[in-house]
């Protein structure tokens, strides 16, 4: 955590961010950096010192002119900016109130994009999936079973990562079954238009893409389409 904070602080200056951007594409000497970024030599030296202390940049001697040094970006340091992995996850379970729209779409998106197990449930499940949810899913190449809704107590297992995709479910589940993550996605059923369901789909898709890389699965079988 401390190292991540140092890296964020080092990148908080526009000039240092410009240096990192330049070194992302290739190595360069301090003089070349100063020339390309129109930055005085003493200022380049200061910023390189800060970046080096944060572990972002290293120096190496030229194999040609031994008096010259080249700066090299350390990509592994930038990788530390990502949130820490959520480990021990066997399956992801998405929960909303009625299990008729948001949680269904989220589970279908997760399974489609990560090829790992996902399920969905509700705190007060409806009798079926909302027709507009089925329609928007099919429009994007996803499958939803219009008859498949579940109560959260029937679905959740010990190794599940529970994600509440509505505020009500997040606030209601305060007992043994408690969401680890909360996505405050507006309820498209309240508006009940195609645009509202498309907006919910887009929000859920963006969230799935953001969170999926930090989930470390321990189980890769038993995919559910709930």
């Amino acid at each position: 955590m401390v190292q991540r904070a140092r890296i964020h602080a080092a990148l908080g200056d526009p000039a240092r961010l410009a240096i990192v951007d330049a070194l992302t594409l290739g190595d360069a000497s301090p003089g070349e950096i100063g020339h390309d970024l129109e930055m005085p030599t003493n200022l380049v030296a200061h910023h390189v010192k800060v970046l080096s202390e944060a572990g972002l940049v290293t120096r190496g001697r030229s194999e040609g002119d031994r008096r010259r040094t080249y700066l090299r970006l350390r990509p592994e340091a930038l990788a530390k900016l990502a949130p820490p992995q959520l480990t021990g996850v066997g399956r992801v379970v998405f929960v909303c109130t009625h299990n008729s729209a948001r949680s269904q779409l989220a589970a279908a998106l997760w399974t489609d994009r990560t090829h790992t197990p996902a399920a969905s449930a509700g705190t007060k499940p409806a009798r079926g999936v909302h027709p507009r949810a089925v329609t928007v899913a099919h429009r994007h190449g996803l499958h939803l079973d219009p008859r498949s809704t579940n109560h959260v107590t029937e679905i959740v297992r010990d190794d599940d990562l529970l994600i509440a995709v509505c505020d009500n479910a997040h606030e209601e589940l305060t007992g043994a079954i408690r969401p680890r993550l909360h996505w405050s996605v507006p309820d498209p059923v309240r508006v009940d238009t195609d645009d509202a369901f498309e907006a919910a789909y887009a929000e859920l898709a963006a969230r799935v893409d953001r969170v999926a890389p930090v989930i470390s699965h321990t189980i890769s079988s038993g995919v559910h389409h709930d």
Side-chain angles (χ1 to χ4, degrees), residues 91-129:
R91 183 179 62 162
V92 177
V93 177
F94 296 94
V95 182
C96 63
T97 305
H98 299 301
N99 190 212
S100 65
R102 288 165 290 181
S103 56
Q104 294 277 352
L105 289 169
L109 273 161
W110 188 274
T111 298
D112 179 70
R113 298 198 175 190
T114 70
H115 307 291
T116 57
S120 69
T123 55
K124 300 170 185 175
R127 293 184 178 180
V129 181

Side-chain angles (χ1 to χ4, degrees), residues 7 10-11 16 19-21 23-24 27-28 30 33 47-60 70-78:
I7 293 172
L11 295 174
R16 290 196 286 272
I19 292 173
V20 168
D21 286 344
L23 294 176
T24 299
D27 305 339
I33 288 290
H47 289 313
V48 168
K49 181 175 184 292
V50 174
L51 292 170
S52 298
E53 290 175 348
L56 285 163
V57 170
T58 60
R59 291 175 180 266
Y70 288 108
L71 304 173
R72 178 182 300 172
L73 184 67
R74 297 183 65 237
E76 64 273 19
L78 288 176

Side-chain angles (χ1 to χ4, degrees), residues 5 15 30 38-39 52 71 73 82 99 107 110 122 149 154 156 164 186 188 195 206:
E38 299 181 349
M39 193 181 300
S52 298
L71 304 173
L73 184 67
N99 190 212
W110 188 274
T149 60
E154 301 170 347
V156 175
D195 286 347

Side-chain angles (χ1 to χ4, degrees), residues 9 24 27 37 61 86 102 107 120 126 137 152 160-161 212 221:
T24 299
D27 305 339
L37 299 180
R61 282 278 174 204
L86 297 176
R102 288 165 290 181
S120 69
V152 64
D160 286 338
L161 170 66
S221 61

